[in-house]
């Protein structure tokens, strides 16, 4: 069986919630995925990321409970029509995946003079995001699902993982084998928001502002 092309992997990639099989991703596979993430480009070769692997059931359960509370807060803040649309949407697979990878960012990594970051300081964080993208695409190529959880308070996760000062959590990624990957992303399937066509996102020479947000 031939390996999928990068274009095929990009097309297949999904934010996984309900499709985890319950099996734990093998360590050898996990390390290949993390190696791909660690090969991401970074401003000034600073590599400002770290990866915290979480498998302790108590930690997974504690984070899942916190996320459940944040989900309720978001639901209750929505207008009634949007709340009804949101209700069936699953937002995480923390315990089902069995493995969490928390990607952290250290802005001071690389020292006070990071080559390429002087005028655009956000490029450090952008570098960490590129590592996450590498991780996600490598996982998809391996047949492993990834779900990005963003319903949390950063101080809670910082305390839960005992992150040191200067290191912030950027993403909790649920990682594990899946039964399948959905053909249509969840937020489209459940009617939350449709995908923009490519031609609406392309601008030639100057930005045209006629497109609605």
């Amino acid at each position: 069986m031939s390996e999928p092309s990068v274009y095929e992997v990009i097309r297949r990639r999904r934010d996984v919630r309900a499709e985890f099989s319950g099996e734990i991703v093998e360590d050898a596979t996990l390390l290949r995925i993390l190696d791909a993430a660690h090969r991401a480009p970074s401003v000034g070769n600073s590599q400002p990321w770290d990866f915290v692997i979480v498998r302790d059931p108590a930690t997974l359960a504690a984070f899942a409970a916190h996320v459940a509370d944040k989900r309720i807060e978001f639901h209750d803040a929505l207008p009634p029509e949007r709340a009804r649309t949101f209700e069936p949407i699953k937002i995480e697979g923390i315990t089902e995946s069995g493995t969490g990878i928390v990607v952290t960012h250290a802005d001071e990594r690389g020292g006070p003079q990071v080559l390429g970051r002087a005028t655009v300081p956000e490029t450090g964080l952008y570098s960490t995001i590129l590592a996450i993208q590498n991780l996600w695409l490598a996982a998809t190529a391996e047949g492993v699902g990834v779900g990005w959880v963003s319903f949390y308070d950063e101080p809670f996760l910082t305390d839960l993982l005992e992150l040191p000062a200067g290191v912030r959590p950027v993403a909790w990624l649920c990682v594990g084998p899946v039964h399948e990957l959905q053909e249509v992303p969840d937020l489209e399937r459940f009617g939350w928001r449709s995908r923009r066509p490519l031609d609406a996102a392309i601008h030639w020479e100057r930005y045209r502002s006629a497109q609605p947000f």
Side-chain angles (χ1 to χ4, degrees):
M1 181 177 177
S2 61
E3 293 184 356
S5 72
V6 66
Y7 291 102
E8 175 65 11
V9 169
I10 290 169
R11 187 195 69 80
R12 287 174 48 215
R13 184 212 60 81
R14 290 291 176 267
D15 197 356
V16 175
R17 308 298 184 189
E19 292 77 23
F20 290 110
S21 68
E23 300 176 4
I24 299 296
V25 59
E26 295 181 354
D27 285 352
T29 303
L30 183 63
L31 290 175
R32 282 196 301 273
I33 292 169
L34 291 176
D35 180 69
H38 195 56
R39 292 177 184 272
S42 61
V43 64
N45 201 26
S46 57
Q47 297 180 298
W49 52 72
D50 285 282
F51 311 104
V52 182
I53 301 169
V54 182
R55 284 178 170 163
D56 180 4
T59 306
L60 296 174
F63 187 61
H66 173 72
V67 170
D69 289 342
K70 296 293 114 179
R71 186 190 197 282
I72 292 171
E73 289 180 11
F74 180 73
H75 174 275
D76 291 348
L78 292 170
E81 182 177 347
R82 292 301 269 171
R84 286 191 295 271
T85 301
F86 176 67
E87 282 169 4
I89 298 175
K90 184 174 174 61
I91 64 164
E92 50 83 12
I94 297 164
T95 58
E96 296 92 333
S97 67
T99 300
I101 298 178
V102 180
V103 183
T104 66
H105 175 74
D107 211 45
E108 295 181 1
R109 182 82 46 78
Q113 289 87 35
V114 176
L115 194 156
R117 207 180 70 182
T119 57
V120 187
E122 296 87 355
T123 51
L125 184 57
Y126 299 161
S127 300
T128 296
I129 300 303
L130 286 172
I132 293 171
Q133 179 77 325
N134 270 20
L135 185 158
W136 212 328
L137 294 179
T140 303
E142 293 275 1
V144 172
V146 176
W148 187 327
V149 182
S150 56
F151 277 69
Y152 64 85
D153 289 331
E154 189 171 310
F156 176 88
L157 186 51
T158 296
D159 290 344
L160 183 67
L161 300 184
E162 301 178 2
L163 300 180
V167 175
R168 59 172 295 200
V170 174
W172 178 298
L173 305 176
C174 306
V175 179
V178 293
H179 296 298
E180 62 176 343
L181 291 175
Q182 294 289 344
E183 282 295 319
V184 179
D186 283 359
L187 297 189
E188 290 186 69
R189 289 194 301 121
F190 288 102
W192 181 262
R193 188 174 178 87
S194 299
R195 182 179 294 272
R196 294 171 66 204
L198 175 61
D199 60 3
I202 295 177
H203 308 261
W204 296 94
E205 308 296 347
R206 298 290 188 274
Y207 186 95
R208 67 181 191 278
S209 59
Q211 298 297 325
F213 290 98

